[in-house]
Amino acid sequence: MEVQKTALYNYHKNLGAKFVPFAGYEMPIQYKDGIVKEHISTRTHAGFFDVSHMGQFFLEGDETLIESLEKIIPADLKNLKINHSKYSFLLNNEGGIIDDLIITRTEKGFCIILNAACKENDIKQISQFLKKHHKHLLNNDLSLIALQGPKSVEILEKLIPGVANLKFMTGNNFEYEGDNLYVTRSGYTGEDGFEISISNTKVEKLIDYLISNEVKPIGLGARDTLRLEAGLCLYGHDLNEKINPVEANLKWAIAKKRKEVGGFNGWEKIKNLLAKGSEKIRVGIKPDGKVIARENTKIFSSDNNEIGFVTSGTFGPSVNAPVAMGYVKSEFSEVGTSIQLEVRGKKYGGKISELPFYKKSYVK
Amino acid sequence: MSEKKFSKKHEWVSLDGDVATVGITKHATEMLGDIVFVEVPDAGKAVEKEGQAAVVESTKAASDVYSPISGEITEGNKVIADDPGSVNTDPEGASWFFKLKIKDKSEYDSLMSKDEYDKFCKENPS
């Protein structure tokens, strides 16, 4: 398959981006400033992220569309208000997570933001449940820009009046340069911010404006350190088809009503796990020293029994210490439990930690 | 202290009598990005030419640091282990990785000069 590029590819190049292949796209991993500076400037000012590789999947239909989607998504879509968003997943028959996503109710149906690496399969999986008269479109004419950081609201409000009134996990249509924009107050960094869906033809102009307001470009490298500090999962690492939402410590994302009534893929299994608890569970991990416990690092109990593995690990620039997430046997998941991390054949001490590592500042 | 010599794995070596000081090059730090973890060897450890001797990690990934020369470690630089970011600031000066007592000076002689190394980097962009 040919490597794909987002509409901003040349723009990134001119900004000094270093590219890496990611989910079939050439994406910036970092720019000239490097990951730590990009991370800090997002936390202290604002940064923009080109996340146009993610799928923007639009669905239209009547009431039966809700029934169809609820078979694979455990959110309460019936009671989701127009312009409100929820974090949820696509589930397989075993309750495993096919992808994690943000779903927003629109005037005519729904918009789902899908992970780039999963989007084609996701659409296949969703389509199984759709009726002939449901319309769907993966819109590749749109870019998606995340603007994240404490100054985001002030900067975007000047350009697009009204965005400041959006509450976290809600969105609306706005006008920009004679075009329609859909803006949601959301993101994946633990900061206040927005995700802006904008036509590929207008996106450069938006970025020009952001840069003139000292918003730095942020690559995948800092996106990873930011989301990990915020305790957020990365699909393909912390989540996969063999992990269910209970194990992933994401049962909060299953709507209460849906937990009781069910009617979605894997419900029997999930209901059982909700009652009994799972054997393993996702936790935050803080190594005691400076050692970084990266993905696949084995986790041992203090008496040397293997109890789990790391799924994401890096140095957290705002925490100023290494941070990680992983799965451990549930009896070792209590915050403060001492563990050992095997790095390059040597065992280092660590502790089960609260998530997030870095406290969020969302506008509710 | 002798002139610095360079390896293809982006280490530098300087020689003072039979004790070599080894670090990673500025070019290496630029490729790695922000350095957040360093592990240096303890004194007494024997290392082979091109054998793994230390570890350096950036936010992105972990990399081994090889010794361009064989010998016995006399000192690991604890300062950079405590302050890994200092490797980005002064990689070819204060932020050396380890010192070792060498066995065979010809291993040092066969490494690249500064000019040869610069040329090597230009021809082998990462």
Side-chain angles (χ1 to χ4, degrees):
Chain A
M1 198 176 75
E2 203 186 324
V3 177
Q4 302 191 68
K5 291 169 180 170
T6 70
L8 284 175
Y9 179 82
N10 286 317
Y11 203 113
H12 293 308
K13 217 171 176 179
N14 292 333
L15 288 171
K18 227 187 241 181
F19 291 93
V20 291
F22 180 83
Y25 286 79
E26 277 292 297
M27 296 303 290
I29 182 145
Q30 66 168 80
Y31 300 81
K32 281 177 196 152
D33 282 351
I35 293 171
V36 171
K37 278 194 184 144
E38 289 173 25
H39 176 113
I40 299 293
S41 72
T42 305
R43 291 253 187 265
T44 55
H45 184 76
F48 78 84
F49 307 67
D50 179 12
V51 289
S52 307
H53 55 312
M54 296 183 86
Q56 298 186 60
F57 188 56
F58 293 86
L59 292 133
E60 291 181 13
D62 52 13
E63 282 295 300
T64 61
L65 176 62
I66 294 177
E67 285 166 28
S68 294
L69 292 176
E70 283 198 345
K71 285 182 181 146
I72 190 166
I73 299 173
D76 183 3
L77 300 180
K78 211 163 277 170
N79 290 307
L80 185 61
K81 290 184 200 143
I82 290 177
N83 292 324
H84 283 241
S85 308
K86 283 279 177 216
Y87 172 76
S88 193
F89 349 87
L90 301 177
L91 296 175
N92 63 26
N93 286 329
E94 296 296 306
I97 300 171
I98 298 167
D99 197 4
D100 65 335
L101 54 86
I102 301 278
I103 183 163
T104 304
R105 183 91 176 246
T106 61
E107 299 274 350
K108 291 179 178 171
F110 294 93
C111 171
I112 310 181
I113 307 294
L114 302 165
N115 279 306
C118 307
K119 62 187 178 186
E120 278 177 33
N121 180 49
D122 290 348
I123 291 167
K124 228 183 271 172
Q125 301 293 335
I126 294 169
S127 298
Q128 289 178 20
F129 297 98
L130 296 179
K131 304 246 188 288
K132 273 202 179 122
H133 67 281
H134 297 151
K135 288 188 211 161
H136 61 86
L137 169 72
L138 180 69
N139 195 333
N140 292 317
D141 297 329
L142 294 174
S143 290
L144 189 63
I145 302 301
L147 172 64
Q148 299 280 291
K151 297 283 177 199
S152 300
V153 58
E154 189 186 313
I155 292 165
L156 197 62
E157 177 70 15
K158 272 194 289 173
L159 186 73
I160 307 165
V163 295
N165 298 327
L166 294 173
K167 303 281 184 237
F168 190 65
M169 294 301 269
T170 71
N172 219 329
N173 291 290
F174 294 89
E175 208 194 298
Y176 173 68
E177 294 283 315
D179 224 358
N180 183 66
L181 288 189
Y182 195 79
V183 181
T184 58
R185 196 153 198 172
S186 61
Y188 219 62
T189 60
E191 294 298 327
D192 182 25
F194 301 90
E195 289 193 355
I196 305 155
S197 174
I198 180 170
S199 70
N200 289 340
T201 54
K202 297 283 161 68
V203 66
E204 288 200 4
K205 188 137 194 182
L206 171 72
I207 301 303
D208 283 341
Y209 168 79
L210 295 178
I211 288 177
S212 71
N213 281 273
E214 275 152 51
V215 179
K216 290 274 163 79
I218 314 297
L220 290 174
R223 186 169 166 79
D224 196 50
T225 55
L226 287 160
R227 70 91 196 165
L228 185 46
E229 280 189 345
L232 300 167
C233 293
L234 180 61
Y235 195 83
H237 299 265
D238 310 303
L239 304 176
N240 62 49
E241 292 203 14
K242 295 208 165 94
I243 288 169
N244 61 61
V246 180
E247 292 169 335
N249 215 344
L250 295 171
K251 61 184 180 194
W252 59 267
I254 304 177
K256 187 168 175 273
K257 195 183 92 185
R258 307 290 322 272
K259 278 178 195 162
E260 290 158 9
V261 182
F264 55 86
N265 272 355
W267 178 59
E268 288 294 329
K269 177 153 181 194
I270 287 173
K271 192 172 80 168
N272 201 13
L273 288 170
L274 283 168
K276 286 194 205 150
S278 55
E279 261 177 51
K280 64 172 187 228
I281 192 155
R282 181 176 62 95
V283 291
I285 296 158
K286 264 190 155 175
D288 291 336
K290 284 184 182 290
V291 75
I292 297 170
R294 295 190 188 268
E295 188 172 7
N296 297 326
T297 297
K298 286 182 183 170
I299 305 172
F300 293 83
S301 63
S302 48
D303 55 357
N304 284 320
N305 290 311
E306 193 171 336
I307 55 166
F309 52 92
V310 171
T311 50
S312 284
T314 187
F315 176 81
S318 301
V319 180
N320 195 24
V323 290
M325 289 200 292
Y327 286 82
V328 295
K329 288 185 180 165
S330 296
E331 60 262 40
F332 295 95
S333 64
E334 200 179 315
V335 169
T337 305
S338 288
I339 53 166
Q340 300 183 83
L341 300 153
E342 190 180 272
V343 178
R344 290 178 288 273
K346 218 163 110 184
K347 290 199 179 98
Y348 295 83
K351 283 192 180 60
I352 304 296
S353 161
E354 261 176 6
L355 289 174
F357 300 104
Y358 175 86
K359 212 168 161 10
K360 301 174 202 206
S361 49
Y362 301 137
V363 175
K364 298 225 166 138
Chain B
M1 195 99 66
S2 70
E3 62 157 330
K4 276 200 181 83
K5 293 271 207 175
F6 297 85
S7 77
K8 288 183 178 174
K9 300 230 168 102
H10 306 286
E11 291 97 15
W12 58 264
V13 188
S14 66
L15 201 58
D16 187 5
D18 62 353
V19 174
T21 304
V22 177
I24 65 173
T25 64
K26 186 155 191 301
H27 179 80
T29 60
E30 283 162 4
M31 288 192 296
L32 288 166
D34 306 296
I35 291 166
V36 292
F37 178 78
V38 170
E39 190 177 84
V40 293
D42 293 329
K45 187 185 170 188
V47 291
E48 293 300 313
K49 181 181 162 69
E50 291 173 9
Q52 191 264 342
V55 176
V56 59
E57 294 198 43
S58 69
T59 38
K60 281 176 273 184
S63 313
D64 286 328
V65 176
Y66 302 94
S67 181
I69 205 159
S70 49
E72 189 184 305
I73 302 290
T74 58
E75 189 184 354
N77 188 355
K78 298 289 179 219
V79 176
I80 62 167
D82 289 338
D83 180 15
S86 67
V87 178
N88 288 106
T89 326
D90 193 12
E92 297 189 21
S95 297
W96 51 272
F97 271 61
F98 53 88
K99 292 179 195 262
L100 74 167
K101 199 170 172 198
I102 67 164
K103 288 192 288 201
D104 180 358
K105 187 169 175 291
S106 71
E107 288 178 351
Y108 167 82
D109 294 331
S110 66
L111 294 167
M112 289 182 277
S113 69
K114 172 84 178 134
D115 286 350
E116 285 167 334
Y117 176 68
D118 288 345
K119 199 171 155 229
F120 170 78
C121 290
K122 240 177 237 164
E123 287 166 359
N124 297 277
S126 62

